[in-house]
């Protein structure tokens, strides 16, 4: 992976596979190749160093020599991947889980601890291995987990890349709502697996046993939660909010033209089963060619070119992925943190970007349409700065002083659809436009609840009589409404929840005012999910 050479704007960070964590009002990001940065506002970042970045051999040299190092990859510096960091209250330590990567998937995730996030790290030990075979399995903890006899007669599934020969990368430690510690591990091809940790040591809990159940559970790697069968899916991350566990996965490949993208599933239980909005399971039942263009998983973001930003082809985000999520302590808000590449930057250059995540009334999470710039998503406010009241010409009410009124939420909006079937691949279509760049269409949210677009339309619906007719005005595409009416008074409990039915699909979403990326102007937006798809809207004036 090439270290970015593109000049970063002041305050920008370029951390690949970013893991975000908070301590005492300061935010920290740790990423691949031991790069790290900190911020007090989630906008302005500064790099800092520690003993891992200065001298990784002094910390990781022993385990590097013992397992991953091979003639094909003799340099430790390029083989420290995708850490994640969590506070362990039992140990009273910050715990970092880091992949030390080897050729042919001979990798190991190790635990390091620190007293301070901006301090030095102490090596503790290995947590989970991959890439073992019958000749070298004795050099791992597999015999301790499976038993000596089972390890010596290693099952064939650990030798199959379409079964359980995974790569021990992308650790995601989790503290569940009951106080147990778990960790997911996985790889692009072998699926995502999860096993329990011992909170007193931060290492594997060797008292936990898992039966072998094909495509569901493995004695060494634990519970299967997603992927498998050589289908793309990596960088798992888990978040609990409003009674749901959300699983984030990155489909595709991380290169500029690789279609890297974030998809989301949910479950009532940490260990699953995880499904998308249409009920499709996160676990694969077999090979799915080009699964990054299929309908499993809800795609959260895509490559967008629109007036609020990005508004230049060179600044369009492509290959967005390997996210983490900050659950901010001060207000409970969620922030999606990911790396992204760009069309016109050479050398696989990348940046770290952050967007707020917004919960919908039906229990899903959607991403804010604009990158976070220090202003959280706020409920809509009256254009004149004062609350509105109903008149006989207004939409049904009455409306309370704090309730958003349809008459001032209506207007012309840019609408972007996050198409799960396409991605930027460097090719152009017949019109010369890049494939996979989602451009907006204009729709109008009418005060009476209709959704329209365009002008009057002439059409034939009785071809045998050859009788043309035209609409009286713009064609109706659907309807929209605010959610949360409660009781005969018509008083709503929320100023943001909304639903929009567009071309036969109903989306549930959130209205929010956000600053545009291009000029910082506060703009009314919506983010919504429906039919296993997500959409963004931004008012034009």
């Amino acid at each position: 992976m090439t270290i970015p050479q593109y000049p970063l704007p002041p305050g920008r960070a370029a951390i690949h596979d970013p893991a975000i964590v908070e301590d005492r009002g300061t935010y920290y990001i740790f990423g691949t190749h031991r790069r790290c940065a900190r911020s007090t506002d989630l906008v302005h970042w500064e790099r800092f160093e520690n003993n891992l970045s200065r001298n990784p051999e002094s910390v990781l040299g022993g385990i590097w020599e013992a397992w991953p190092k091979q003639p094909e990859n003799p340099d430790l510096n390029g083989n420290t991947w995708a850490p994640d960091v969590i506070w362990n209250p039992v140990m009273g330590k910050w715990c970092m889980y880091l992949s030390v990567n080897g050729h042919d998937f001979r990798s190991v995730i190790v635990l390091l601890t620190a007293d301070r996030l901006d301090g030095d790290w102490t090596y503790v030990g290995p947590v989970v291995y991959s890439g073992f075979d019958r000749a070298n399995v004795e050099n791992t903890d597999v015999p301790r987990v499976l038993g000596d006899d089972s390890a010596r007669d290693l099952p064939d599934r650990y030798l199959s890349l379409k079964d359980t020969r995974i790569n021990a990368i992308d650790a995601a430690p989790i503290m569940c709502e009951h106080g147990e510690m778990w960790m997911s591990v996985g790889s692009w091809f072998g699926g995502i697996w999860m096993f329990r940790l011992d909170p007193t040591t931060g290492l594997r809990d060797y008292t936990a046993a898992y039966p072998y159940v094909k495509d569901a559970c493995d004695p060494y790697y634990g519970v299967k939660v997603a992927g498998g069968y050589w289908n793309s899916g990596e960088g798992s991350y888990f978040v609990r909010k409003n009674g749901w566990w959300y699983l984030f996965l990155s489909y595709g490949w991380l290169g500029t033209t690789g279609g890297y993208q974030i998809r989301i599933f949910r479950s009532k239980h940490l260990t699953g089963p995880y499904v998308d909005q249409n009920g499709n399971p996160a676990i694969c039942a077999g090979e799915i060619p080009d699964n990054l263009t299929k309908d499993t998983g809800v795609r959260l973001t895509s490559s967008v070119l629109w007036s609020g930003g990005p508004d230049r082809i060179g600044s369009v985000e492509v290959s967005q992925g390997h996210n983490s999520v900050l659950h901010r302590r001060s207000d409970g808000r969620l922030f999606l943190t990911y790396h992204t590449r760009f069309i016109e930057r050479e050398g696989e250059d990348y940046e770290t970007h952050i967007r707020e995540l917004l919960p919908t009334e039906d229990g899903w999470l959607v991403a804010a349409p604009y990158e976070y710039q220090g202003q959280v998503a706020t409920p809509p406010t009256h254009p004149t700065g004062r609350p509105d009241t109903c008149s006989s010409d207004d939409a049904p009410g009455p409306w309370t002083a704090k309730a958003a009124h349809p008459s001032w939420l209506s207007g012309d909006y840019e609408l972007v659809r996050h198409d799960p079937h396409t991605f930027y691949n460097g090719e152009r279509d017949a019109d010369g436009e890049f494939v996979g760049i989602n451009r907006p269409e204009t729709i109008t949210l009418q005060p009476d609840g209709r959704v329209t677009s365009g002008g009057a339309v002439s059409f034939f619906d009785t071809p045998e009589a050859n009788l043309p007719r035209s609409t009286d005005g713009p064609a109706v595409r659907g309807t929209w409404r605010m959610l949360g009416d409660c009781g005969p008074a018509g008083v709503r409990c929320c100023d943001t929840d909304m639903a929009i039915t567009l071309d036969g699909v109903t989306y549930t979403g959130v209205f929010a005012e956000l600053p545009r990326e291009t000029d910082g102007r506060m703009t009314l937006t919506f983010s919504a999910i429906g039919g296993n798809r997500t959409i963004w809207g931004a008012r034009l004036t």
Side-chain angles (χ1 to χ4, degrees), residues 2-6 256 341-350:
T2 304
I3 299 300
Q5 299 302 313
Y6 191 89
T256 300
R341 286 169 166 75
F342 306 90
I343 292 176
E344 294 183 351
R345 297 193 192 179
E346 299 178 355
E348 294 294 331
D349 195 88
Y350 58 86

Side-chain angles (χ1 to χ4, degrees), residues 362 434 452:
D362 58 349
F434 281 119
T452 62

Side-chain angles (χ1 to χ4, degrees), residues 91-107:
M91 297 176 68
K93 298 281 187 180
W94 290 102
C95 291
M96 175 188 288
Y97 295 87
L98 170 70
S99 176
V100 187
N101 186 67
H103 173 70
D104 199 21
F105 317 118
R106 205 164 85 187
S107 306

Side-chain angles (χ1 to χ4, degrees), residues 198-518:
D198 180 351
T200 65
T201 65
L203 301 171
R204 176 195 283 271
D205 182 351
Y206 287 100
T207 67
Y210 311 93
Y212 173 67
V213 180
K214 185 173 175 57
D215 290 335
C217 205
D218 178 79
Y220 185 66
Y221 289 118
V223 179
K224 190 175 188 179
V225 293
Y229 288 96
W230 202 272
N231 299 307
S232 71
E234 64 180 13
S236 60
Y237 201 84
F238 298 80
V239 172
R240 182 168 172 81
K241 183 76 171 179
N242 296 333
W244 291 96
W245 280 100
Y246 298 93
L247 163 63
F248 298 81
L249 282 180
S250 291
Y251 280 17
W253 176 63
L254 57 81
T256 300
T257 59
Y260 219 40
Q261 56 189 260
I262 301 167
R263 301 214 180 187
I264 188 172
F265 303 80
R266 73 179 184 183
S267 173
K268 282 295 185 180
H269 308 283
L270 173 60
T271 55
Y274 286 89
V275 297
D276 63 19
Q277 194 179 33
N278 280 353
N280 298 312
I283 294 176
C284 298
E287 295 178 76
I288 307 171
D290 300 316
N291 72 315
L292 75 163
T293 62
K294 300 302 190 295
D295 289 309
T296 297
V298 180
R299 186 173 183 178
L300 273 184
T301 63
S302 66
S303 300
V304 172
L305 180 68
W306 61 345
S307 64
D311 63 345
R312 297 181 303 103
I313 195 69
S315 58
V316 170
E317 296 183 5
V318 298
S319 204
Q320 310 147 302
H322 202 121
N323 73 281
S324 58
V325 176
L326 171 70
H327 197 160
R328 190 158 68 181
R329 295 174 185 170
S330 61
D331 55 13
R333 291 178 180 266
L334 301 177
F335 295 90
L336 181 77
T337 307
Y338 59 98
H339 69 247
T340 181
R341 286 169 166 75
F342 306 90
I343 292 176
E344 294 183 351
R345 297 193 192 179
E346 299 178 355
E348 294 294 331
D349 195 88
Y350 58 86
E351 290 181 3
T352 306
H353 285 193
I354 295 176
R355 294 177 187 269
E356 190 170 353
L357 286 172
L358 308 172
T360 66
E361 189 192 55
D362 58 349
W364 285 95
L365 298 176
V366 289
Y370 298 132
E371 188 184 358
Y372 183 70
Q373 300 170 71
Q375 171 65 57
V376 297
T378 57
T381 56
H382 190 273
T384 64
R386 62 177 177 79
D388 209 345
T389 57
C390 278
S391 70
S392 58
D393 296 328
D394 287 328
W399 301 86
T400 62
K402 293 183 179 180
H405 192 295
S407 66
W408 45 272
L409 297 176
S410 60
D412 294 334
Y413 284 75
E414 286 186 313
L415 174 78
V416 167
R417 304 171 189 262
H418 298 299
D419 187 351
H421 302 138
T422 67
F423 61 92
Y424 171 73
N425 59 8
E427 299 178 0
R428 296 179 184 267
D429 60 21
D431 297 323
E433 303 286 0
F434 281 119
V435 172
I437 305 301
N438 293 314
R439 294 168 171 82
E441 60 176 302
T442 300
I443 63 171
T444 302
L445 305 188
Q446 301 286 357
D448 62 6
R450 292 177 300 139
V451 179
T452 62
S453 66
V457 178
S458 296
F459 62 99
F460 290 85
D461 60 358
T462 54
E464 292 184 2
N466 199 30
L467 297 175
R469 65 188 182 94
S470 64
T471 61
D472 295 330
V476 175
R477 302 274 299 280
T479 59
W480 73 280
R481 62 191 175 95
M482 298 298 292
L483 300 176
D485 288 348
C486 45
V491 177
R492 291 181 295 100
C493 60
C494 183
D495 291 335
T496 60
D497 292 334
M498 55 88 73
I500 180 171
T501 300
L502 190 64
D503 301 330
V505 178
T506 298
Y507 303 83
T508 303
V510 180
F511 274 116
E513 290 191 346
L514 291 166
R516 296 180 0 141
E517 296 176 21
T518 50

